[in-house]
Amino acid sequence: SFDELDAGQEELQDGWEKKTSRSDPSQVYFLHQQSGKTQWEPPLKRPRVRAPALAPHLSRSGGVAGAGATASSGDLFAGLPEAASDIAPTKEAQKIPEPQPKPQTHVRALHLLKKHAGSRRPSSWREKVITKSLEEATHLLKEIRKRLVACETKDKLRAEFERLARKESDCGSAQEGGSLGKFGRGTMQPAFEEAAFGLKVDELSGIVSTDSGVHLILRLE
């Protein structure tokens, strides 16, 4: 039984002995030899934590708990309110939501433009009349992009982009190494704006097509 298990493992007070009930050998009680006092609960040197008084179903006839009470935790604690967990909240529960990043209002970028016959204004400082097709302009830009992607560092990438823009770009910004400075939303053509704002800092775009021609964009900030 529950009491037998504990009594066998815990030391009784001096003068007490454990006895087996004659009427029910499965029951045990405790006898003090000098006084003749008997009780169901083991008189331990180190007091056992008692069940709360508000749980009368744990006692026999409203008195002390019977020695034959089952050791099943389901029966022993039936009807008691569940103790609140004192386990510290997990990191997941303590996690504070990260603040949402502020919407980007401006970017700074370089670009390299290749115009073609279908461009809005098929003329540039490089060619008075541009006759190449969209496919030809796209091919030229892809070859330029291969050279840029081969750059090992962001500094080399920026330097090479500026060098090629001065030489190859059909935009007036070529003289500034393709620099467009800092610009906000609503100032560029939609496809160009979407691509520029969608880049990470120091990221090179793919081919971007607008009414002006085809572009490469390098975001600086």
Side-chain angles (χ1 to χ4, degrees):
S1 73
F2 184 81
D3 288 334
E4 286 178 297
L5 178 63
D6 285 353
Q9 295 176 345
E10 299 182 80
E11 191 174 358
L12 300 176
Q13 294 178 13
D14 293 338
W16 287 88
E17 291 182 7
K18 183 171 70 172
K19 297 288 186 179
T20 302
S21 172
R22 294 178 180 178
S23 60
D24 184 357
S26 67
Q27 298 284 349
V28 296
Y29 64 96
F30 297 89
L31 169 69
H32 190 268
Q33 294 284 4
Q34 290 184 348
S35 66
K37 182 180 178 181
T38 60
Q39 64 183 54
W40 294 109
E41 284 286 329
L44 304 175
K45 284 188 175 181
R46 185 170 56 188
R48 177 182 297 171
V49 177
R50 298 297 300 273
L54 52 77
H57 60 283
L58 294 181
S59 64
R60 176 173 296 176
S61 300
V64 295
T70 175
S72 167
S73 61
D75 294 335
L76 186 61
F77 299 108
L80 283 176
E82 291 186 7
S85 173
D86 56 3
I87 299 175
T90 63
K91 288 184 178 180
E92 289 295 326
Q94 295 176 330
K95 188 174 181 181
I96 299 174
E98 295 181 1
Q100 293 296 321
K102 294 182 179 179
Q104 299 174 3
T105 57
H106 292 80
V107 296
R108 191 160 69 90
L110 306 177
H111 91 126
L112 193 157
L113 169 66
K114 278 295 183 186
K115 291 186 175 182
H116 50 81
S119 294
R120 181 171 54 185
R121 191 170 66 84
S123 177
S124 76
W125 65 274
R126 298 179 67 254
E127 295 179 71
K128 189 172 183 178
V129 179
I130 297 175
T131 59
K132 69 175 70 70
S133 67
L134 170 61
E135 290 74 15
E136 290 172 322
T138 300
H139 175 74
L140 290 171
L141 208 56
K142 284 182 177 179
E143 292 301 310
I144 291 172
R145 192 177 189 280
K146 287 180 183 178
R147 295 168 65 176
L148 293 171
V149 170
C151 294
E152 298 175 353
T153 67
K154 63 181 182 181
D155 291 334
K156 289 181 179 180
L157 171 60
R158 177 173 177 175
E160 182 67 1
F161 194 105
E162 291 176 341
R163 188 185 74 80
L164 290 172
R166 289 189 178 95
K167 179 182 178 182
E168 301 286 348
S169 181
D170 287 318
C171 179
S173 63
Q175 297 179 357
E176 303 296 330
S179 176
L180 295 172
K182 183 177 288 188
F183 57 90
R185 294 186 180 277
T187 58
M188 301 290 179
Q189 295 182 54
F192 189 96
E193 177 184 305
E194 182 179 350
F197 277 83
L199 292 172
K200 297 177 182 178
V201 175
D202 298 317
E203 184 179 5
L204 178 67
S205 74
I207 307 297
V208 180
S209 181
T210 70
D211 291 343
S212 298
V214 286
H215 313 251
L216 287 176
I217 305 169
L218 176 61
R219 181 174 174 180
L220 301 181
E221 63 179 61

